[in-house]
């Protein structure tokens, strides 16, 4: 019976240590998860900003392209007009 009591006390001590270790590990994992979620939120906000900037750049490129098309289309007309002015 004394040995059974000793085994029980050893098991309870080991269980308490394991709970303490598991609790610390859980706290560390929750902290790491919070850090990752914060980082993810920042990256998502940066992505949204970059997408808006990209949309603006694409719109600007499209306007330059259409302006260039107009210049090419009416190049001969403008060239003759300038020649006629001289």
């Amino acid at each position: 019976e004394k040995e059974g009591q000793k085994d029980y006390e050893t098991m309870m001590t080991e269980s308490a240590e394991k709970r303490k270790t598991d609790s610390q590990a859980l706290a560390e994992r929750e902290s790491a998860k919070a850090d990752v979620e914060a980082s993810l939120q920042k990256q998502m906000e940066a992505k949204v900003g970059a997408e808006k900037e990209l949309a603006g750049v694409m719109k600007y490129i499209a306007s330059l392209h259409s302006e260039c098309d107009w210049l090419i289309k009416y190049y001969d007309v403008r060239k003759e007009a300038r020649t006629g002015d001289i």
Side-chain angles (χ1 to χ4, degrees):
E1 190 174 308
K2 288 183 181 182
E3 194 157 317
Q5 180 66 28
K6 184 178 177 185
D7 288 343
Y8 175 76
E9 289 174 3
T10 302
M11 182 184 72
M12 293 306 288
T13 303
E14 290 173 354
S15 295
E17 288 176 12
K18 183 169 180 357
R19 281 193 304 273
K20 181 180 175 185
T21 303
D22 290 347
S23 179
Q24 288 174 345
L26 180 62
E28 289 172 2
R29 287 182 182 154
E30 287 176 347
S31 175
K33 180 183 174 190
D35 291 343
V36 169
E37 287 176 345
S39 176
L40 176 63
Q41 183 65 31
K42 286 181 185 177
Q43 293 298 323
M44 294 297 285
E45 290 171 1
K47 180 184 175 221
V48 168
E51 287 173 344
K52 286 181 181 178
E53 184 177 351
L54 176 62
V57 169
M58 294 303 291
K59 186 175 179 180
Y60 179 68
I61 289 172
S63 72
L64 288 177
H65 186 55
S66 65
E67 185 178 333
C68 182
D69 287 346
W70 185 87
L71 289 172
I72 290 172
K73 183 177 179 180
Y74 293 106
Y75 174 76
D76 292 330
V77 175
R78 294 175 67 223
K79 183 179 176 183
E80 283 185 29
R82 274 185 267 136
T83 305
D85 289 341
I86 297 178

